[in-house]
Amino acid sequence: FTAGPEALPLLRALLKTNKRVFSINRELLDATNDIQETIQQGKTLYADKPTMKQHNGALGTWSNDEYAHPGFQCEYLHFKSFQ
């Protein structure tokens, strides 16, 4: 896509917000026993979409518990923070 100079303040604000959100997620990951395992679990939750599959999409893509998983949040933010 293209954007004019009016988009620059919006992009700067997005980057500032993303920096804070990623920092919070990092704190949550640091509080786990195994950061890499937590991230891997999150990648699996993101890819497998267990709630959507169990309920044929009637309850959404992921459950509140899945959204609350620090590894899932890391993966979700990786993909969605700039969309």
Side-chain angles (χ1 to χ4, degrees):
F1 77 92
T2 62
E6 67 279 1
L8 185 57
L10 297 172
L11 290 172
R12 283 186 176 143
L14 173 64
L15 290 173
K16 183 178 179 181
T17 299
N18 281 351
K19 183 177 179 181
R20 179 67 182 130
V21 170
F22 278 103
S23 175
I24 292 168
N25 180 247
R26 185 63 199 197
E27 291 172 9
L28 293 171
L29 288 170
D30 287 344
T32 67
N33 292 329
D34 187 337
I35 294 171
Q36 291 307 313
E37 176 63 23
T38 301
I39 290 172
Q40 186 56 50
Q41 290 170 354
K43 288 180 178 188
T44 300
L45 284 172
Y46 188 90
D48 290 352
K49 300 172 180 62
T51 294
M52 184 178 77
K53 289 178 181 175
Q54 289 173 1
H55 302 282
N56 298 317
L59 298 179
T61 308
W62 297 284
S63 70
N64 289 342
D65 288 340
E66 291 161 351
Y67 274 115
H69 188 281
F72 173 85
Q73 291 173 7
C74 182
E75 187 74 356
Y76 188 88
L77 290 168
H78 173 80
F79 287 108
K80 303 294 186 179
S81 63
F82 289 100
Q83 281 188 343

